[in-house]
Short mmCIF file of all heavy atoms in Angstrom, two decimals:
data_model
loop_
_atom_site.label_atom_id
_atom_site.label_comp_id
_atom_site.label_asym_id
_atom_site.label_seq_id
_atom_site.Cartn_x
_atom_site.Cartn_y
_atom_site.Cartn_z
N VAL A 1380 -18.35 -13.12 -7.81
CA VAL A 1380 -17.18 -13.93 -8.48
C VAL A 1380 -17.30 -15.39 -8.13
O VAL A 1380 -17.86 -15.68 -7.00
CB VAL A 1380 -15.85 -13.31 -8.27
CG1 VAL A 1380 -15.80 -11.84 -8.74
CG2 VAL A 1380 -15.46 -13.44 -6.82
N ALA A 1381 -16.68 -16.20 -8.93
CA ALA A 1381 -16.49 -17.61 -8.66
C ALA A 1381 -15.23 -18.04 -9.40
O ALA A 1381 -14.70 -17.35 -10.21
CB ALA A 1381 -17.72 -18.43 -9.17
N ALA A 1382 -14.72 -19.21 -8.96
CA ALA A 1382 -13.53 -19.75 -9.54
C ALA A 1382 -13.93 -20.40 -10.94
O ALA A 1382 -15.05 -20.88 -11.13
CB ALA A 1382 -12.91 -20.83 -8.76
N ARG A 1383 -13.06 -20.26 -11.99
CA ARG A 1383 -13.30 -20.84 -13.23
C ARG A 1383 -13.56 -22.37 -13.08
O ARG A 1383 -14.44 -22.88 -13.78
CB ARG A 1383 -12.18 -20.61 -14.18
CG ARG A 1383 -12.02 -19.19 -14.66
CD ARG A 1383 -10.93 -19.05 -15.68
NE ARG A 1383 -10.95 -17.78 -16.35
CZ ARG A 1383 -10.29 -16.66 -15.86
NH1 ARG A 1383 -9.63 -16.75 -14.76
NH2 ARG A 1383 -10.40 -15.52 -16.53
N SER A 1384 -12.86 -22.99 -12.24
CA SER A 1384 -13.04 -24.40 -11.97
C SER A 1384 -14.46 -24.78 -11.49
O SER A 1384 -15.10 -25.77 -11.87
CB SER A 1384 -11.99 -24.99 -11.07
OG SER A 1384 -12.10 -24.35 -9.77
N TYR A 1385 -14.94 -23.87 -10.58
CA TYR A 1385 -16.33 -24.11 -10.05
C TYR A 1385 -17.37 -23.88 -11.18
O TYR A 1385 -18.30 -24.64 -11.35
CB TYR A 1385 -16.61 -23.09 -8.99
CG TYR A 1385 -18.00 -23.22 -8.30
CD1 TYR A 1385 -18.15 -24.15 -7.26
CD2 TYR A 1385 -18.97 -22.43 -8.68
CE1 TYR A 1385 -19.41 -24.18 -6.61
CE2 TYR A 1385 -20.21 -22.49 -8.06
CZ TYR A 1385 -20.43 -23.42 -7.06
OH TYR A 1385 -21.65 -23.58 -6.43
N LEU A 1386 -17.20 -22.79 -11.95
CA LEU A 1386 -18.15 -22.55 -13.01
C LEU A 1386 -18.20 -23.60 -14.14
O LEU A 1386 -19.30 -23.81 -14.70
CB LEU A 1386 -17.80 -21.19 -13.67
CG LEU A 1386 -17.97 -19.97 -12.70
CD1 LEU A 1386 -17.45 -18.71 -13.42
CD2 LEU A 1386 -19.44 -19.85 -12.27
N ARG A 1387 -17.14 -24.30 -14.43
CA ARG A 1387 -17.04 -25.33 -15.35
C ARG A 1387 -17.95 -26.52 -14.99
O ARG A 1387 -18.42 -27.26 -15.86
CB ARG A 1387 -15.64 -25.80 -15.59
CG ARG A 1387 -14.76 -24.88 -16.43
CD ARG A 1387 -13.51 -25.61 -16.97
NE ARG A 1387 -12.67 -26.00 -15.86
CZ ARG A 1387 -11.67 -25.26 -15.48
NH1 ARG A 1387 -11.36 -24.06 -15.99
NH2 ARG A 1387 -10.97 -25.74 -14.44
N GLU A 1388 -18.20 -26.67 -13.69
CA GLU A 1388 -19.00 -27.81 -13.20
C GLU A 1388 -20.40 -27.46 -13.01
O GLU A 1388 -21.21 -28.29 -12.63
CB GLU A 1388 -18.38 -28.31 -11.88
CG GLU A 1388 -16.91 -28.75 -11.98
CD GLU A 1388 -16.35 -29.16 -10.59
OE1 GLU A 1388 -17.03 -28.87 -9.61
OE2 GLU A 1388 -15.17 -29.53 -10.59
N GLN A 1389 -20.88 -26.21 -13.27
CA GLN A 1389 -22.16 -25.75 -13.04
C GLN A 1389 -22.88 -25.40 -14.33
O GLN A 1389 -22.28 -25.07 -15.36
CB GLN A 1389 -22.25 -24.50 -12.14
CG GLN A 1389 -21.37 -24.63 -10.91
CD GLN A 1389 -21.74 -25.81 -9.94
OE1 GLN A 1389 -22.91 -26.14 -9.93
NE2 GLN A 1389 -20.73 -26.39 -9.32
N ALA A 1390 -24.26 -25.44 -14.31
CA ALA A 1390 -25.02 -24.90 -15.45
C ALA A 1390 -24.84 -23.39 -15.49
O ALA A 1390 -24.53 -22.82 -14.50
CB ALA A 1390 -26.47 -25.16 -15.22
N PHE A 1392 -25.05 -19.40 -15.40
CA PHE A 1392 -25.94 -18.57 -14.65
C PHE A 1392 -26.50 -17.51 -15.64
O PHE A 1392 -25.73 -16.72 -16.19
CB PHE A 1392 -25.13 -17.83 -13.52
CG PHE A 1392 -24.62 -18.70 -12.50
CD1 PHE A 1392 -23.37 -19.30 -12.48
CD2 PHE A 1392 -25.45 -18.98 -11.34
CE1 PHE A 1392 -22.92 -20.14 -11.46
CE2 PHE A 1392 -24.96 -19.81 -10.35
CZ PHE A 1392 -23.79 -20.32 -10.36
N LEU A 1398 -28.84 -18.59 -8.83
CA LEU A 1398 -27.95 -18.67 -7.69
C LEU A 1398 -28.45 -19.60 -6.57
O LEU A 1398 -27.66 -20.04 -5.82
CB LEU A 1398 -27.57 -17.28 -7.07
CG LEU A 1398 -26.94 -16.25 -8.02
CD1 LEU A 1398 -26.83 -14.91 -7.36
CD2 LEU A 1398 -25.54 -16.78 -8.33
N GLY A 1400 -29.30 -22.35 -4.27
CA GLY A 1400 -28.69 -23.69 -4.05
C GLY A 1400 -27.16 -23.66 -4.12
O GLY A 1400 -26.49 -24.61 -3.77
N HIS A 1401 -26.62 -22.53 -4.51
CA HIS A 1401 -25.15 -22.41 -4.58
C HIS A 1401 -24.60 -21.73 -3.29
O HIS A 1401 -25.22 -20.74 -2.82
CB HIS A 1401 -24.72 -21.54 -5.81
CG HIS A 1401 -24.99 -22.19 -7.13
ND1 HIS A 1401 -24.06 -23.10 -7.72
CD2 HIS A 1401 -26.09 -22.22 -7.97
CE1 HIS A 1401 -24.52 -23.52 -8.87
NE2 HIS A 1401 -25.75 -23.01 -9.01
N PRO A 1402 -23.52 -22.30 -2.69
CA PRO A 1402 -22.98 -21.69 -1.54
C PRO A 1402 -22.43 -20.28 -1.78
O PRO A 1402 -21.70 -20.14 -2.81
CB PRO A 1402 -21.92 -22.65 -1.07
CG PRO A 1402 -21.56 -23.49 -2.28
CD PRO A 1402 -22.80 -23.49 -3.15
N VAL A 1403 -22.72 -19.38 -0.93
CA VAL A 1403 -22.15 -18.00 -1.07
C VAL A 1403 -21.35 -17.76 0.15
O VAL A 1403 -21.72 -17.88 1.29
CB VAL A 1403 -23.32 -16.99 -1.21
CG1 VAL A 1403 -22.71 -15.58 -1.29
CG2 VAL A 1403 -24.13 -17.26 -2.46
N VAL A 1441 -13.06 -18.95 -2.30
CA VAL A 1441 -13.68 -19.04 -3.62
C VAL A 1441 -12.71 -19.69 -4.64
O VAL A 1441 -13.12 -20.47 -5.46
CB VAL A 1441 -14.02 -17.59 -4.05
CG1 VAL A 1441 -14.59 -17.62 -5.53
CG2 VAL A 1441 -15.18 -17.09 -3.21
N ALA A 1442 -11.39 -19.28 -4.53
CA ALA A 1442 -10.40 -19.91 -5.34
C ALA A 1442 -10.34 -21.41 -5.25
O ALA A 1442 -9.89 -22.11 -6.23
CB ALA A 1442 -9.11 -19.29 -5.16
N GLU A 1443 -10.75 -21.96 -4.05
CA GLU A 1443 -10.69 -23.38 -3.92
C GLU A 1443 -11.92 -24.07 -4.47
O GLU A 1443 -12.11 -25.28 -4.29
CB GLU A 1443 -10.63 -23.68 -2.32
CG GLU A 1443 -9.29 -23.37 -1.73
CD GLU A 1443 -8.18 -24.23 -2.26
OE1 GLU A 1443 -8.38 -25.37 -2.46
OE2 GLU A 1443 -7.10 -23.70 -2.53
N GLY A 1444 -12.88 -23.29 -5.05
CA GLY A 1444 -14.02 -23.90 -5.70
C GLY A 1444 -15.13 -24.07 -4.67
O GLY A 1444 -15.96 -24.99 -4.94
N SER A 1445 -15.14 -23.37 -3.56
CA SER A 1445 -16.10 -23.57 -2.48
C SER A 1445 -17.47 -22.83 -2.71
O SER A 1445 -18.34 -23.04 -1.94
CB SER A 1445 -15.50 -23.12 -1.17
OG SER A 1445 -14.32 -23.86 -0.83
N GLY A 1446 -17.50 -22.03 -3.72
CA GLY A 1446 -18.75 -21.24 -3.95
C GLY A 1446 -18.46 -19.91 -4.62
O GLY A 1446 -17.42 -19.64 -5.23
N LEU A 1447 -19.41 -18.95 -4.26
CA LEU A 1447 -19.27 -17.57 -4.88
C LEU A 1447 -19.10 -16.58 -3.71
O LEU A 1447 -19.46 -16.87 -2.61
CB LEU A 1447 -20.51 -17.23 -5.71
CG LEU A 1447 -20.93 -18.24 -6.89
CD1 LEU A 1447 -21.97 -19.20 -6.28
CD2 LEU A 1447 -21.40 -17.50 -8.02
N GLY A 1460 -7.62 -16.69 -11.14
CA GLY A 1460 -8.52 -17.85 -11.40
C GLY A 1460 -9.94 -17.56 -11.19
O GLY A 1460 -10.82 -18.42 -11.31
#
Side-chain angles (χ1 to χ4, degrees):
V1380 301
R1383 286 186 172 88
S1384 59
Y1385 182 85
L1386 294 174
R1387 283 196 297 266
E1388 298 173 358
Q1389 313 299 327
F1392 292 94
L1398 296 175
H1401 290 272
V1403 180
V1441 174
E1443 290 295 321
S1445 300
L1447 306 96

